[in-house]
Amino acid sequence: MNFTGNTIFITGGGSGIGRALAEELHKRGNKVIISGRRKSHLNSVTKANPGIEAIELDIADPDSIKVVAKKLVAEHPDLNVLINNAGIMEPDQAAGIVDDELLVSTVMTNLLGPIRLTSALVDQLKSRRGVIVYNTSVLGFVPLAVTAVYSATKAALHSYVLSQRFLLRERGVRVLEMAPPWVRTELMNSQEAEQAMPLDQFISETVKVLGTDADEILVEAAKPLRANPGPEEHALVNGFNQQMLRLFTTNQA
């Protein structure tokens, strides 16, 4: 990905990975537009980074997506990069009764939202021979049992990426997948988690990989989990979840 002169739209840009990535790409000479549901967060980003623009978007609302997509194409005809970053992560009960509101909101936000938004902007991106980026997770390859729904949405999004990449392979549009490991963000209140990767380190490594021809944007810490799926994947999944349960239990004690 060429790092300068792009017009980039980033969802979930008010905090965490989205904000940090928006600020880094802005510094590198790109026009960056961020979106999110929390206006106060968006205002905080634009105030701290003159030149970044913001637009309110509820990624779980199809009508909001249509309105924002139309506005983006009209006001930013050079738009050539879409980074699908918005997501929510909540603990659930796969061994019991899953809260239906949690189930629906997670699937709407993490899976249907990115698919709908990309669909709304795909003709624009084709016309610019652009780039589509999806922020999935290593949990799409090694699910975290206590966030089973979240993990499942990321696995589904990975599958969708593979199909879309194949179908757009001759249209000049690159389809990239960014699969972070555990990073210090607001998700699951991980800002202070010692075991999680510092956000600035994650962004630094990610940007380096974005500058290559890689289709999967993986930092070093993500690679062992990304490589896990296969006939023998159960052992690592079980061991990973036993370790995480011990960690969560210790932190909550």
Side-chain angles (χ1 to χ4, degrees):
M1 176 178 165
N2 184 352
F3 272 118
T4 61
N6 300 291
T7 300
I8 304 172
F9 181 55
I10 304 179
T11 64
S15 63
I17 289 174
R19 173 172 182 166
L21 193 57
E23 290 176 335
E24 182 62 29
L25 293 174
H26 174 63
K27 291 176 185 176
R28 292 171 178 261
N30 299 285
K31 176 64 181 178
V32 177
I33 308 104
I34 61 171
S35 72
R37 290 182 294 185
R38 297 175 292 186
K39 187 175 182 179
S40 61
H41 283 58
L42 299 178
N43 289 343
S44 176
V45 178
T46 56
K47 182 177 180 180
N49 301 273
I52 291 183
E53 295 185 19
I55 184 170
E56 290 184 69
L57 167 66
D58 182 353
I59 196 67
D61 181 353
D63 291 332
S64 179
I65 288 173
K66 291 176 184 177
V67 169
V68 169
K70 185 176 180 179
K71 182 179 177 67
L72 284 170
V73 172
E75 297 183 0
H76 301 281
D78 293 332
L79 178 69
N80 67 320
V81 180
L82 167 62
I83 301 180
N84 288 294
N85 171 74
I88 57 175
M89 182 180 189
E90 299 289 344
D92 52 47
Q93 297 290 335
I97 299 174
V98 177
D99 180 83
D100 194 66
E101 183 177 350
L102 178 151
L103 172 63
V104 172
S105 64
T106 304
V107 173
M108 291 282 283
T109 301
N110 294 359
L111 180 60
L112 300 187
I115 292 174
R116 285 169 170 156
L117 179 61
T118 304
S119 175
L121 291 173
V122 72
D123 286 340
Q124 166 68 20
L125 296 167
K126 287 178 184 177
S127 72
R128 304 299 301 176
R129 298 181 68 85
V131 179
I132 302 167
V133 182
Y134 293 88
N135 186 359
T136 63
S137 171
V138 293
L139 299 184
F141 307 105
V142 181
L144 179 60
V146 296
T147 59
V149 175
Y150 173 88
S151 301
T153 61
K154 296 302 185 178
L157 197 57
H158 166 71
S159 177
Y160 189 80
V161 167
L162 295 178
S163 296
Q164 189 174 67
R165 182 182 296 139
F166 174 79
L167 293 172
L168 290 175
R169 70 194 187 283
E170 296 178 356
R171 299 300 300 270
V173 179
R174 294 188 66 197
V175 181
L176 310 181
E177 178 177 2
M178 181 169 62
W182 192 8
V183 179
R184 293 177 191 170
T185 69
E186 292 180 359
L187 286 182
M188 299 288 285
N189 296 315
S190 298
Q191 297 99 319
E192 304 298 329
E194 293 183 4
Q195 298 82 0
M197 187 176 189
L199 180 56
D200 58 350
Q201 181 185 349
F202 170 76
I203 294 298
S204 177
E205 290 189 31
T206 294
V207 167
K208 288 180 181 178
V209 184
L210 276 171
T212 71
D213 294 329
D215 289 330
E216 291 189 355
I217 312 304
L218 300 170
V219 300
E220 287 300 317
K223 291 180 179 179
L225 297 180
R226 170 62 183 98
N228 180 61
E232 306 300 325
E233 68 180 343
H234 303 88
L236 194 151
V237 170
N238 292 341
F240 169 74
N241 278 288
Q242 288 169 356
Q243 178 185 8
M244 294 305 290
L245 281 174
R246 287 194 298 268
L247 178 61
F248 288 147
T249 301
T250 299
N251 288 346
Q252 293 173 2

